[in-house]
Amino acid sequence: MNLLREKTAKYDAPQKAKAAGIYPYFREIESDQDTSVIINGKKVLMFGSNAYLGLTNHPKVKEASIEAIRKYGTGCAGSRFLNGTLDIHVTLEKRLAEFVGKEDAISFSTGFQTNEGVLSCLTGREDYIIWDELDHASIIEGIRLSFSTKLKFKHNDMESLEKQLQKCDPKKVKLIVVDGVFSMEGDVANLPEIVRLAKKYNANIMVDEAHGIGVLGNHGRGVCNHFGLTQNVDLVMGTFSKSFASLGGFIASDKDTINFLRHNARTYIFSASCTPASVAAANAALDIMLTEPERIEKLWELTNYALDGFRSMGCEIGHTSTPIIPLFIRDNDLTFLIVRELFDEGIFVNPVVSPAVASQDTLIRFSLMATLKKEQLDFALESIRKLFKKHHLI
């Protein structure tokens, strides 16, 4: 008897969802990532993307990527540690460090690898990592691999954070790790209070800016810049797969910390380097962030319009104040059904269900891009209003 196959065969949740016609994953997109995409020959509006500035189709980004392939080829055939460091890696890292207000930075092949690599090695057995319960899965995975004591605090609850800090040995390293913008519910970390508590208990802070860069702060520098607290945050992490319209990630900090990570983070040392095309695309996207601030202004114009629209129709959207808008359904099967019905109406949104969240917290993740037209957003709002009314959600 094959015990492994017997175990895996018992997992049949996807099959049941497919049989019910509500399976929402791995939908094959046959076009570029834009405000509308084509799936099974059908054009649908895209409200499930993380490309907040809409740069995946920007001519300068695409041309930079193509030129990098012409010059460097399609890959580096090795890790950064050995044969995989290109001059464009170093150039981008210097620019990113300057952009987020730190001395130095290193880039990883993915954002997930960034968090996993940094958090698994930065603190030791006698140290502490204190993390928000709604931190991204990559943060949680990195923490799981760490030998440090792990202390979780309630989401954005500063009283809970302080209680965890009080448990720590004052003579040991204490690293507080939070998302700047929380990826599913769109709310912003209470960074001013986190900084106050970090000073009180001599702790360090790492902020994941994956969903903050390109959205908040001067020219999209992120949550730390938005609050004017960059110098009070020890490590700033970001990804290339959102506003940078590419693939990869980075961590920025002081020179000593980056030197340590450069020689100890296993996902950096033992992974193939970020491809030339990805690096060049991220570099070009950074140029656009610095020279086209009107994109961020348009993103916020759309965000405020959508937030007002959802609130006026009575949708439950939690504490979001960003282009990530959670529409709480609080039922797994109904979430899947509404996602399918919205797709039938021509709207692509993402379901967030258990075990990613508690079953009573299931939601639809509705996200915005700066390149959306107001009439596209109006169509989505009206479609959601009709379906939510049909299902007695408003």
Side-chain angles (χ1 to χ4, degrees), residues 310-311 313-320 325-330 360-364 388 393-394:
F310 284 125
R311 289 188 181 113
M313 71 173 80
C315 290
E316 184 185 357
I317 61 172
H319 300 289
T320 182
I325 304 175
L327 304 173
F328 284 95
I329 309 298
R330 304 194 182 283
Q360 68 270 21
D361 293 331
T362 60
L363 58 92
I364 287 171
F388 276 39
L393 292 167
I394 55 174

Side-chain angles (χ1 to χ4, degrees), residues 96 116 142 164 186 234 272 313 323 336 352-353 368 378 382 385:
L96 289 169
E116 186 179 42
Q164 298 294 45
D234 300 275
M313 71 173 80
F336 285 146
V352 182
V353 300
L368 298 164
D378 282 333
E382 178 58 21
R385 187 195 65 78

Side-chain angles (χ1 to χ4, degrees), residues 225-261:
N225 178 274
H226 169 74
F227 285 114
L229 294 170
T230 299
Q231 299 312 311
N232 299 104
V233 172
D234 300 275
L235 297 108
V236 176
M237 177 269 181
T239 58
F240 300 159
S241 54
K242 278 75 175 175
S243 293
F244 284 110
S246 183
L247 181 65
F250 72 93
I251 191 78
S253 188
D254 60 273
K255 288 185 180 296
D256 289 337
T257 300
I258 294 302
N259 178 61
F260 177 88
L261 292 170

Side-chain angles (χ1 to χ4, degrees), residues 182-289:
F182 288 88
S183 60
M184 293 300 146
E185 299 193 10
D187 53 336
V188 178
N190 187 353
L191 195 57
E193 186 65 9
I194 292 169
V195 167
R196 185 188 72 80
L197 290 172
K199 288 180 178 178
K200 180 177 178 180
Y201 292 95
N202 192 27
N204 299 95
I205 302 172
M206 173 176 165
V207 176
D208 179 334
E209 290 275 23
H211 299 272
I213 287 179
V215 176
L216 288 160
N218 179 27
H219 288 274
R221 284 177 168 85
V223 171
C224 301
N225 178 274
H226 169 74
F227 285 114
L229 294 170
T230 299
Q231 299 312 311
N232 299 104
V233 172
D234 300 275
L235 297 108
V236 176
M237 177 269 181
T239 58
F240 300 159
S241 54
K242 278 75 175 175
S243 293
F244 284 110
S246 183
L247 181 65
F250 72 93
I251 191 78
S253 188
D254 60 273
K255 288 185 180 296
D256 289 337
T257 300
I258 294 302
N259 178 61
F260 177 88
L261 292 170
R262 185 179 279 120
H263 296 88
N264 287 276
R266 294 171 70 83
T267 59
Y268 178 80
I269 297 171
F270 296 103
S271 288
S273 8
C274 205
T275 64
S278 296
V279 174
N283 195 49
L286 180 55
D287 285 338
I288 295 165
M289 277 190 227

Side-chain angles (χ1 to χ4, degrees), residues 30-199:
E30 302 157 358
S31 64
D32 49 8
Q33 282 277 350
D34 209 338
T35 57
S36 63
V37 298
I38 297 174
I39 299 176
N40 293 331
K42 175 183 177 179
K43 181 179 284 190
V44 295
L45 295 177
M46 174 53 75
F47 288 94
S49 174
N50 293 320
Y52 302 115
L53 296 181
L55 296 180
T56 54
N57 272 326
H58 197 292
K60 292 180 180 177
V61 175
K62 292 197 289 188
E63 187 57 33
S65 187
I66 292 166
E67 284 302 315
I69 290 176
R70 289 195 180 108
K71 180 174 181 178
Y72 298 99
T74 56
C76 299
S79 73
R80 288 291 303 278
F81 208 61
L82 299 174
N83 64 301
T85 293
L86 303 175
D87 54 355
I88 55 173
H89 286 116
V90 177
T91 297
L92 177 60
E93 288 165 346
K94 288 178 179 178
R95 295 192 71 202
L96 289 169
E98 181 181 1
F99 182 66
V100 299
K102 293 298 172 188
E103 291 180 348
D104 203 358
I106 51 173
S107 58
F108 292 70
S109 299
T110 68
F112 196 107
Q113 287 176 301
T114 308
N115 280 333
E116 186 179 42
V118 170
L119 291 167
S120 61
C121 79
L122 190 57
T123 55
R125 291 183 184 274
E126 297 182 341
D127 301 324
Y128 302 86
I129 300 179
I130 306 102
W131 56 286
D132 188 294
E133 64 182 350
L134 292 190
D135 279 348
H136 190 265
S138 58
I139 292 174
I140 296 170
E141 195 63 26
I143 292 170
R144 286 176 60 190
L145 293 172
S146 172
F147 292 116
S148 303
T149 299
K150 298 102 172 171
L151 299 172
K152 177 173 66 174
F153 64 95
K154 295 176 184 178
H155 176 53
N156 242 351
D157 185 327
M158 298 299 101
E159 183 179 347
S160 176
L161 171 57
E162 183 160 22
K163 286 180 179 177
Q164 298 294 45
L165 286 165
Q166 288 170 346
K167 296 177 183 178
C168 302
D169 184 338
K171 297 180 181 179
K172 302 301 180 183
V173 173
K174 298 165 287 295
L175 180 64
I176 303 168
V177 188
V178 295
D179 286 7
V181 174
F182 288 88
S183 60
M184 293 300 146
E185 299 193 10
D187 53 336
V188 178
N190 187 353
L191 195 57
E193 186 65 9
I194 292 169
V195 167
R196 185 188 72 80
L197 290 172
K199 288 180 178 178

